[in-house]
Amino acid sequence: MNLPNGYILQQGKYKLMQVVGQGGFGITYSGVWFTEVKGPLGTLKTEVPVCIKEYFFKDYCFRDQESNAIKVHSETGKLLFEKFKEKLIKEAKILSDVSHPYVVKVLEVFEENNTAYIVMEYISGCSLKYMLEKNGRLPENKILKYTRQIGEALRFVHEKNILHLDIKPSNILINQNDDAKLIDFGVSKRYDIESQETSTTILTLSKGFASIEQYDDEGMRNFSPCPDIYSLGATMYYLATGKIPTESILRAARPLIKPSEINPEISSKTEIAILKAMEIIPDNRFQSAQEMLDSLDIPKEEYSMNSLREILINKDEETILFNKIPLEKPILKVDAKKKKRTILAGLLIVSSLSIISAVVFFAQKNIAQENHTANLDQIENEIENQSQPGTIIEEIAPLENQTKPAVAKRENGIQGINPTSEIKVSPIPEKGKNLMAESSLNENLVKPSLVEIEENYLTLIASGKKKMGTFDYSGAKNDFTKAKALKPEDDELRELLIFCEEKEEEQQIAKRMGLYEEKMSFGFYKIVRKKETGKYGAIDDKGKEKIPCKYIGVGIAENGRVFVREDDLFDIYNSNGELIGEGLTTYY
């Protein structure tokens, strides 16, 4: 249902690269903005990475395969589709006027393909949710730092009578400077100067992070910062404990566990602030973001860098994580004119170096190819002359960029030489000796140049990332493994390989799960019916059989589950999947 990679929008202004997230109301793509940088030295064309969100109300619409336009199934659906499209455009235009260092910037809103598109700044980083899942709960000073930044962002948008209404760790990105950015205002509300609601929004609740008043439209008629305050407190709770807090609507029956009971290292002052922000009754919470910030011991600004370097596609939520995070020094403020001159000078230097590098590369490549061809001819002649009885031809390490295959004649039983292999010729060891003489041919072989190695490396990385975009994690892992052979110490490759292995395992689990029909839970397992055979058994959360699917029926026993065999006898298993009764004629 998504647009193809490379699709052009706005008559060539934007190009879509790949899907990075999708949900019930939209598809998000990474993209490129083709623009120009003007200065005293002229105009330079450049490409700026962006994030482009397409409005796609998937329950009511579909994409026409010929025109790529969005169409709606029914008249009722059309009314809803148009209503929410207008709402989306209105809210996006509001946000395009919101400029704050800790709020994602909306660059443009436009209509095309019978729908709306929002162009946002590209943020290189990872979400707080992903950071916590990767590293475990965060230290308190980090929690306070990110809380201060998001608190300042909320104070700013609240002053404009805007509520975010979906504050949660997956909607907070940490960029390469270790600063927090608030994203996804898709369900935000705007109020007029009399605090009356002026925009309606789709009811979207993030369990554990939504305040109790968000479960009732009547509770959101008038402007109040309290819902966002609750969500910010719940986010702090999650970062401090690693646990999603109990839903606000369920807390009467299941009281909230204090953060210090899960993480004893949390300070009492921070814990008091979290619990006050998460009070069920809005009047008992902080009444502004500034009041909440004033109650915390915010540390001085840290200039530490985020060390995570990942590409992640979160399909369950509309959360975008972009490319690697290079380790850089902190960004210092500079004079705007100096910065502009520096950028232009840098662009000229980069252009000059690119031209010089290209000339050197092609000259070096031509020389290498000429030498390589000459040496291969020499090898071929020597093989022909030396391949006599009493000689063995062996394969050794493949060459990556061989332009002409090494060929050996099929004489004396010699055949099957790998055309991409280096060749060495060794005499058969004399009886009683353990010798393997090295041929002088190895000295004449041309090894790949550094330029060619770098070219192969970059090609493999690009190919692997492209395959990741199509969810071919097995193919991507294969490309990255080959690239790692060229640069074994590359940390980014190591992390990409780990990520692909994890995703490949998830796909394998999903494939195994697809072999069964789930029937009911049984301890840590699930009783299932295997689709291929129609027999019953139980599997674990990775789709592996813990009770073999060989039974024709399942019943309840006093101390577990009874499985009916084909010979009409019974086997009984306990909730740990252990066989505790076998071949029984009766059970209780």
Side-chain angles (χ1 to χ4, degrees), residues 1-232:
M1 67 179 180
N2 54 282
L3 291 169
N5 295 349
Y7 189 83
I8 298 299
L9 291 169
Q10 291 289 280
Q11 299 179 339
K13 186 175 182 179
Y14 301 106
K15 181 170 76 172
L16 303 181
M17 303 306 291
Q18 64 183 44
V19 175
V20 293
Q22 55 191 33
F25 299 97
I27 305 171
T28 305
Y29 306 83
S30 62
V32 174
W33 170 25
F34 299 102
T35 186
E36 295 180 343
V37 176
K38 295 181 180 180
L41 299 180
T43 300
L44 294 175
K45 293 184 178 181
T46 186
E47 298 178 8
V48 179
V50 292
C51 166
I52 301 175
K53 187 170 183 178
E54 178 186 47
Y55 173 56
F56 190 96
F57 202 166
K58 71 177 184 180
D59 289 341
Y60 292 96
C61 62
F62 64 96
R63 191 184 305 280
D64 182 82
Q65 295 301 311
E66 293 184 2
S67 66
N68 285 312
I70 303 299
K71 296 188 176 180
V72 185
H73 294 289
S74 64
E75 286 301 317
T76 302
K78 187 175 182 180
L79 292 173
L80 287 171
F81 180 85
E82 291 298 327
K83 174 184 176 182
F84 289 127
K85 184 179 79 171
E86 291 304 316
K87 182 262 175 193
L88 183 78
I89 293 171
K90 183 177 180 181
E91 298 297 337
K93 288 180 177 177
I94 291 170
L95 283 175
S96 65
D97 296 329
V98 173
S99 180
H100 190 275
Y102 304 131
V103 177
V104 66
K105 180 66 177 174
V106 174
L107 304 175
E108 185 180 3
V109 186
F110 61 88
E111 292 187 63
E112 195 169 324
N113 293 331
N114 196 37
T115 189
Y117 295 86
I118 304 173
V119 184
M120 296 171 284
E121 68 173 313
Y122 171 100
I123 299 175
S124 179
C126 68
S127 73
L128 275 179
K129 180 176 184 285
Y130 178 69
M131 183 182 289
L132 185 135
E133 289 174 348
K134 198 75 174 174
N135 295 343
R137 60 193 183 205
L138 303 187
E140 186 170 347
N141 63 332
K142 281 284 188 185
I143 297 171
L144 293 175
K145 174 186 175 179
Y146 299 145
T147 299
R148 176 188 66 79
Q149 293 174 336
I150 298 303
E152 289 182 5
L154 287 178
R155 180 182 61 188
F156 179 80
V157 297
H158 289 169
E159 287 173 355
K160 296 182 176 294
N161 286 345
I162 299 172
L163 292 180
H164 186 280
L165 297 180
D166 200 17
I167 308 291
K168 57 185 177 182
S170 57
N171 279 341
I172 299 171
L173 297 190
I174 307 302
N175 67 13
Q176 60 184 359
N177 299 320
D178 200 39
D179 289 329
K181 285 264 191 178
L182 184 58
I183 67 168
D184 202 345
F185 281 72
V187 296
S188 62
K189 283 180 182 286
R190 185 179 177 89
Y191 297 78
D192 61 20
I193 57 174
E194 296 178 354
S195 296
Q196 296 295 312
E197 181 184 5
T198 59
S199 62
T200 58
T201 188
I202 306 163
L203 181 63
T204 301
L205 300 170
S206 295
K207 294 181 179 180
F209 298 97
S211 64
I212 197 166
E213 59 267 32
Q214 288 177 253
Y215 287 82
D216 180 9
D217 268 352
E218 292 299 321
M220 301 300 301
R221 294 297 182 191
N222 297 313
F223 175 80
S224 168
C226 290
D228 284 347
I229 298 296
Y230 183 96
S231 299
L232 183 57

Side-chain angles (χ1 to χ4, degrees), residues 374-386:
N375 286 324
L376 288 171
D377 291 337
Q378 180 183 351
I379 292 168
E380 189 172 328
N381 292 331
E382 293 194 30
I383 290 173
E384 190 170 340
N385 294 330
Q386 296 184 32

Side-chain angles (χ1 to χ4, degrees), residues 140 144 260 263-272 297:
E140 186 170 347
L144 293 175
S260 59
N263 178 11
E265 296 179 3
I266 198 78
S267 69
S268 59
K269 193 165 187 178
T270 297
E271 179 177 65
I272 290 170
D297 286 330

Side-chain angles (χ1 to χ4, degrees), residues 361-588:
F361 168 71
F362 285 112
Q364 187 174 2
K365 190 170 184 180
N366 289 335
I367 293 169
Q369 288 179 345
E370 290 173 5
N371 291 338
H372 194 54
T373 303
N375 286 324
L376 288 171
D377 291 337
Q378 180 183 351
I379 292 168
E380 189 172 328
N381 292 331
E382 293 194 30
I383 290 173
E384 190 170 340
N385 294 330
Q386 296 184 32
S387 297
Q388 304 299 327
T391 301
I392 297 175
I393 298 181
E394 302 175 288
E395 284 191 47
I396 61 174
L399 284 175
E400 294 292 339
N401 292 291
Q402 198 159 295
T403 58
K404 182 177 179 180
V407 180
K409 292 188 177 181
R410 297 191 177 189
E411 295 178 1
N412 307 314
I414 299 166
Q415 55 184 325
I417 303 303
N418 187 334
T420 62
S421 298
E422 297 180 9
I423 307 298
K424 68 178 181 180
V425 180
S426 303
I428 294 179
E430 297 178 16
K431 189 175 182 181
K433 293 184 180 181
N434 184 17
L435 300 174
M436 185 60 75
E438 291 284 337
S439 170
S440 61
L441 291 175
N442 286 329
E443 298 175 1
N444 296 323
L445 287 172
V446 177
K447 295 181 179 179
S449 68
L450 292 176
V451 174
E452 290 173 316
I453 291 173
E454 184 67 20
E455 183 183 32
N456 285 340
Y457 168 79
L458 294 175
T459 299
L460 287 167
I461 292 295
S463 174
K465 289 184 176 180
K466 185 176 181 180
K467 289 174 182 175
M468 287 177 69
T470 60
F471 310 110
D472 178 12
Y473 296 109
S474 179
K477 186 177 77 171
N478 187 46
D479 287 340
F480 294 144
T481 301
K482 291 178 182 177
K484 193 167 180 15
L486 300 176
K487 290 190 178 182
E489 304 302 322
D490 193 310
D491 289 337
E492 179 193 358
L493 268 177
R494 188 180 298 112
E495 291 167 5
L496 285 170
L497 278 167
I498 291 171
F499 177 76
C500 285
E501 287 169 359
E502 291 174 351
K503 289 297 179 183
E504 187 180 25
E505 174 65 14
E506 288 178 12
Q507 289 178 335
Q508 290 172 352
I509 291 172
K511 185 177 180 180
R512 288 196 295 268
M513 290 289 196
L515 301 175
Y516 306 93
E517 296 175 5
E518 293 186 10
K519 296 300 181 182
M520 67 190 77
S521 295
F522 181 37
F524 293 108
Y525 308 120
K526 288 188 180 296
I527 293 175
V528 295
R529 179 175 177 271
K530 195 166 187 176
K531 294 176 181 178
E532 183 181 2
T533 63
K535 302 294 179 63
Y536 292 87
I539 60 173
D540 63 13
D541 59 357
K542 296 188 182 299
K544 295 182 179 179
E545 290 188 16
K546 293 302 178 181
I547 299 176
C549 289
K550 63 180 184 179
Y551 297 99
I552 61 174
V554 184
I556 299 176
E558 184 177 356
N559 52 348
R561 289 285 188 275
V562 60
F563 288 78
V564 185
R565 299 178 2 178
E566 289 187 334
D567 57 6
D568 291 330
L569 297 178
F570 308 106
D571 290 345
I572 298 178
Y573 291 83
N574 64 19
S575 59
N576 292 324
E578 298 168 340
L579 182 63
I580 59 174
E582 184 176 10
L584 305 177
T585 56
T586 59
Y587 69 92
Y588 300 96

